[in-house]
Amino acid sequence: MAKLTKFVALSLTVALFIFILYAAVPFIYNDGDASSGSEEFPLPSILYLMQAEQCLPSYYQSSDVLGNGGFGFEVIVLSYKEACLDSSLPHVQYLLDKSTTWTTGRNVLFEAAINRNKTYLYYVFMDDDITLGDTSHANPWRKYESFLRTVQPAISCVDPEMVKMIRRFHVDHHCSGEGNGSVGTVWFDAIFNAFHYKAIRHILPYDPTFDQQTWWASQMSVIIRSEILFRGQIAIYTEVQGYNMNHRPYPRSFNFTLQMIHHMTEGLDRVVPADRAECANAIIQQWRTTYHWTHGTNSPTLCLPPPSPCDEIAPGRYACY
C-alpha cells in the first residue's frame, strides 16, 4: 500500500511538472536562434491592424496567413462598410466605423491597439489588398515575423521596388548598406508597416490635416517623423516581397507644398536628446528646402548599414551620422 501511495504521489508530481511546462510555452517566443540575442516577449507578440469593407478577407483567413493565432499574433480589423458578425477566429477582433478616411481609420486602430491591456512587440498596419511572397518557398508571413522578432528594427516594411532603387543607390555611391536580410530606407509605402513598441508612440497617430487634398500626406508625415527620429533604424526586409492586389479610388497627390512639409516637421528637433538636436534640425531643413529629397533618392541615410539585431531604439540615436 505504501508503494502504491508513493507511485501515485510521484505520478501526480510528474503530471504537475508537465502541465506547468506546457502552460509556460505559449508565453515565450523561441524561433530556434538562441544566438540572436533578441528580446523575449510574451506571446502573442505581434498585432496586425487592418481596415476592411466588412470581415477579414478570405485570403487572410488561411492558416498560412492570419487565420491561425497559434503562431503568436492577434488581429484587429476595422470594418468601414458593414459590421462583421463572424466570430470563428477568436484571435481576431472587429470594430465598426463607417465615417473614417484611410488616415482616421488607421488612427481608430492605433487607439484600439494602445488601449489594450497588453503591449505587443510590433504593431503591423496593413491594407486589406496586400499579399506577401517569398522566392525560397518559405511561408513569407512567418518569415517576416521571425525577422521582426530577431532583428527588431524601429520601423520595418516590405517594398521590392524601393529595394531596387536603394541597391542602385549603393552602386552609384559606392556604399554598402545591406545586411540582416534588409536595407535601410527613408521612403516606405504605407501598405505594410511594422512599428516597434518603443517607436510607435513617437510616430503615430497619423496626421489627418491634409486629408481633403490627399490621403498620401498622412503617410508622408509618418515618413518624415521616422527619418528625423529613427534615422538608420528603418528597415525594408528584402527576403519577402509585398504586392497590392487591388486599387481603390481616393484623394491622392504628390503635390506637397513647403508649407505642408513645414507643418509635418514642426517641433521634431525637440523630441531628440539635446546633444543631437542640431543634427536633427539639419535633417529637418533638408526636408523643408528640397522636395525631391523626400523620395530618399539622395539621402545619406541610404549609405548607413541597416539596423543591427536588437539595436537600442531611441529618438535621434543616429541623427548625427
Side-chain angles (χ1 to χ4, degrees):
M1 186 67 180
K3 288 184 178 180
L4 179 60
T5 302
K6 287 182 180 180
F7 176 79
V8 171
L10 180 60
S11 299
L12 290 174
T13 301
V14 171
L16 179 61
F17 172 79
I18 293 173
F19 172 81
I20 293 173
L21 178 64
Y22 274 85
V25 167
F27 295 96
I28 298 296
Y29 171 80
N30 179 3
D31 68 352
D33 183 8
S35 64
S36 69
S38 19
E39 178 180 359
E40 288 186 344
F41 217 82
L43 291 180
S45 60
I46 294 174
L47 181 62
Y48 287 99
L49 302 153
M50 175 193 293
Q51 299 180 72
E53 292 185 357
Q54 188 174 17
C55 298
L56 187 70
S58 57
Y59 164 73
Y60 302 103
Q61 293 189 32
S62 164
S63 60
D64 288 336
V65 185
L66 300 181
N68 184 353
F71 288 113
F73 60 80
E74 292 179 330
V75 183
I76 302 180
V77 177
L78 172 63
S79 307
Y80 59 83
K81 283 195 174 181
E82 300 295 335
C84 181
L85 305 180
D86 182 3
S87 58
S88 62
L89 300 175
H91 63 290
V92 179
Q93 175 191 0
Y94 286 99
L95 308 174
L96 176 65
D97 192 330
K98 300 180 181 181
S99 64
T100 58
T101 65
W102 179 91
T103 302
T104 58
R106 284 210 171 183
N107 282 343
V108 170
L109 289 167
F110 171 67
E111 291 295 329
I114 63 174
N115 287 326
R116 283 195 162 192
N117 61 359
K118 69 159 293 180
T119 299
Y120 298 82
L121 182 62
Y122 277 94
Y123 298 82
V124 183
F125 288 82
M126 58 182 289
D127 292 346
D128 67 342
D129 59 353
I130 184 174
T131 179
L132 299 186
D134 177 77
T135 55
S136 69
H137 305 295
N139 183 310
W141 295 85
R142 307 294 84 85
K143 192 171 181 177
Y144 183 70
E145 290 160 5
S146 180
F147 166 75
L148 291 180
R149 291 174 174 129
T150 303
V151 178
Q152 297 187 18
I155 301 159
S156 178
C157 62
V158 292
D159 190 333
E161 293 306 314
M162 185 55 61
V163 168
K164 293 177 185 177
M165 187 280 292
I166 292 171
R167 284 173 171 163
R168 287 197 299 270
F169 179 94
H170 291 167
V171 173
D172 294 343
H173 292 78
H174 309 288
C175 61
S176 178
E178 189 162 353
N180 301 317
S182 65
V183 294
T185 189
V186 175
W187 180 274
F188 51 98
D189 194 290
I191 192 171
F192 193 81
N193 296 168
F195 298 91
H196 192 280
Y197 77 96
K198 292 181 180 178
I200 190 170
R201 291 175 185 264
H202 293 290
I203 304 300
L204 303 186
Y206 291 83
D207 185 355
T209 302
F210 305 107
D211 261 11
Q212 288 190 339
Q213 293 104 304
T214 170
W215 287 7
W216 287 346
S218 57
Q219 179 65 9
M220 176 59 75
S221 182
V222 166
I223 290 169
I224 291 175
R225 294 184 68 88
S226 299
E227 161 70 355
I228 293 169
L229 300 182
F230 296 104
R231 179 189 186 207
Q233 296 189 294
I234 310 168
I236 300 180
Y237 187 45
T238 61
E239 297 183 14
V240 165
Q241 294 77 46
Y243 303 98
N244 287 78
M245 294 188 288
N246 300 299
H247 294 279
R248 297 181 178 92
Y250 58 85
R252 62 182 81 187
S253 170
F254 271 126
N255 292 325
F256 302 119
T257 65
L258 292 180
Q259 181 182 8
M260 294 167 75
I261 300 298
H262 189 283
H263 170 83
M264 296 174 188
T265 55
E266 187 65 35
L268 291 182
D269 57 331
R270 296 192 293 271
V271 180
V272 303
D275 62 338
R276 298 171 193 160
E278 184 176 348
C279 298
N281 189 58
I283 302 174
I284 290 172
Q285 295 310 313
Q286 286 179 303
W287 280 98
R288 289 180 176 179
T289 57
T290 312
Y291 168 68
H292 87 276
W293 196 86
T294 63
H295 286 280
T297 55
N298 66 345
S299 169
T301 299
L302 299 181
C303 264
L304 291 176
S308 301
C310 300
D311 194 11
E312 178 188 358
I313 295 175
R317 177 167 172 77
Y318 295 109
C320 295
Y321 284 79

